[in-house]
Amino acid sequence: MTATPASPSLESLDQDPAFALHRGGKLEVRSTIPVRDADDLSLAYTPGVARVCNAIADTPSLVNDYTWVSNVVAVVSDGTAVLGLGDIGPAAAMPVMEGKALLFKEFGGVDAVPLCLACTDVDALVETVVRLAPSFGGINLEDISAPRCFEVEARLRDLLDIPVFHDDQHGTAIVVLAALTNAARLTGRSLGDLRAVVAGAGASGVAVTRILLEAGIGDIAVADSKGIIYPGREGLNSVKEALARDTNKAGHTGSTEQALAGADVFVGLSGSTVAEEAIASMATDSIVFALSNPTPEVSPTVAARHARVVATGRSDFPNQINNVLAFPGVFRGALDVRATTITENMKVAAATALAAVVGDDLRADYVIPSPFDARVAPAVTAAVAAQARRDGVARIPG
């Protein structure tokens, strides 16, 4: 009988600074009011709290004014697509969800609660989140595998009157659109002048494609593991069939690398590799966003030999496409006006505001601001809130 390997000791694990930082978790709950004496206690809890409860029972919308609901987001995952680690389950996903909640607070002033659920069935996920929703002002879906993530988000958006946002899709899409808008401006073009190739038809690849179509990209083709998606290709699910109808006006049918010949833009969201020769075959002043982590589809150093602008998902290269540039401000803006949903226009407004932060400092190694630029979250917040009012989904008027 084979013996079970001994678990490493906490002391040995803590030699790694990442483990030492995570010991005990990264979050805590703090009171916003003091409880110094019996009078404070009688107001914060019984009997005073009963008066607030009765008022909310009579006028349910008061929950947004007299509890933390209007400023708190649920960070929900089933642990099936965690970072580049894959399906590692809800317990192993918790450090990531804690980290997400931390980023909400640090960058957007939004309280967030990580909820890692022990279910992967779409019906069960949707039912669980719907039952939890009265405790939250918004739902951030995280690291739920495709194609289930599309159905989960769509059904929750239909069932709930609070913002539901799958960050793996839309956070990435917003930041890509902002960076690509600036890259096009740097090269003297508009989005409508560009032909793009997206490698990856998962959550982020689909959302990036959709927002670029919404923003007016000239043409865009999407590839999955079997090559370019086009009408009539075998093995397409409903999401990919929709992409086939709406993309690839040039009619490409081969591989990603074949479609890159003469293309203006490459967006990598697949974990695959692209040969230097394919990057070299792209048009003059090409734009390469190799976003897979930790290993981009093509080395940024190699891509820079041929492309005018190169971006990655990594912090150790210029032009990091980082979702933290988007989701804190998007939720802050939506919560500030108590939006019932996050519209496509709100996402595009977020991208436009994010791109504008770069302003006149635009250059090849600076098409997107740093996550630590203090201007980012306020700019995105204001743009999202204003667009929510224009779209008629804000419950707080301007």
Side-chain angles (χ1 to χ4, degrees):
M1 184 174 180
T2 304
T4 303
S7 298
S9 69
L10 296 182
E11 290 75 14
S12 64
L13 290 174
D14 285 350
Q15 298 303 307
D16 181 332
F19 279 89
L21 181 144
H22 282 78
R23 176 76 87 95
K26 302 189 289 285
L27 303 173
E28 65 179 4
V29 175
R30 293 193 179 190
S31 171
T32 61
I33 54 96
V35 181
R36 297 161 297 199
D37 51 36
D39 288 340
D40 289 345
L41 182 59
S42 70
L43 291 173
Y45 203 57
T46 185
V49 71
R51 299 197 295 276
V52 180
C53 293
N54 285 330
I56 294 171
D58 292 338
T59 309
S61 63
L62 289 176
V63 72
N64 294 299
D65 300 289
Y66 292 101
T67 75
W68 75 336
V69 163
S70 64
N71 191 55
V72 66
V73 169
V75 179
V76 178
S77 180
D78 64 358
T80 54
V82 180
L83 301 178
L85 304 174
D87 184 354
I88 60 174
M94 181 55 80
V96 177
M97 302 314 130
E98 280 190 357
K100 196 76 171 195
L102 181 154
L103 297 177
F104 265 112
K105 188 66 172 180
E106 290 292 322
F107 289 95
V110 175
D111 292 311
V113 177
L115 298 174
C116 295
L117 306 181
C119 56
T120 58
D121 175 74
V122 169
D123 290 340
L125 282 168
V126 170
E127 181 182 3
T128 301
V129 175
V130 167
R131 291 181 184 279
L132 290 166
S135 296
F136 299 97
I139 306 294
N140 181 88
L141 301 174
E142 194 77 22
D143 292 346
I144 298 171
S145 64
R148 297 175 311 115
C149 60
F150 303 115
E151 183 179 356
V152 170
E153 184 189 44
R155 287 172 59 178
L156 288 172
R157 283 169 57 90
D158 287 342
L159 291 167
L160 300 177
D161 63 351
I162 57 175
V164 177
F165 185 86
H166 184 203
D167 184 52
D168 303 297
Q169 295 185 59
H170 310 301
T172 303
I174 288 166
V175 183
V176 167
L177 174 57
L180 186 56
T181 299
N182 278 337
R185 179 164 68 94
L186 180 71
T187 59
R189 295 173 289 182
S190 68
L191 291 178
D193 298 323
L194 303 178
R195 178 170 76 83
V197 177
V198 175
S204 56
V206 171
V208 165
T209 300
R210 287 295 174 193
I211 202 170
L212 292 181
L213 287 169
E214 182 77 17
I217 193 81
D219 192 14
I220 187 166
V222 185
D224 62 10
S225 60
K226 298 179 181 178
I228 297 295
I229 293 171
Y230 58 88
R233 204 197 80 181
E234 293 184 358
L236 299 181
N237 60 31
S238 60
V239 173
K240 293 179 182 180
E241 286 177 350
L243 282 180
R245 291 192 297 269
D246 298 338
T247 63
N248 194 14
K249 291 187 291 187
H252 292 282
T253 59
S255 67
T256 300
E257 294 185 341
Q258 289 171 326
L260 282 174
D264 303 293
V265 180
F266 169 65
V267 181
L269 294 158
S270 65
S272 61
T273 58
V274 174
E276 180 176 358
E277 292 75 15
I279 301 299
S281 74
M282 295 175 68
T284 302
D285 283 341
S286 62
I287 299 163
V288 173
F289 289 2
L291 304 183
S292 289
N293 260 326
T295 306
E297 287 80 0
V298 59
S299 162
T301 304
V302 170
R305 297 173 189 162
H306 311 284
R308 178 76 178 277
V309 177
V310 178
T312 73
R314 293 174 49 145
S315 60
D316 53 346
F317 288 96
N319 295 326
Q320 184 190 18
I321 305 300
N322 191 326
N323 290 19
V324 78
L325 291 163
F327 68 82
V330 168
F331 269 97
R332 180 73 276 160
L335 293 174
D336 282 351
V337 297
R338 295 181 193 164
T340 58
T341 189
I342 294 173
T343 66
E344 292 304 310
N345 288 337
M346 290 161 71
K347 298 170 198 171
V348 173
T352 302
L354 180 57
V357 171
V358 170
D360 294 336
D361 295 324
L362 178 65
R363 57 183 187 270
D365 64 352
Y366 184 58
V367 298
I368 198 73
S370 162
F372 298 101
D373 189 324
R375 300 171 294 170
V376 167
V380 173
T381 296
V384 168
Q387 189 63 53
R389 291 188 170 112
R390 286 191 291 270
D391 288 350
V393 298
R395 281 177 279 214
I396 296 179

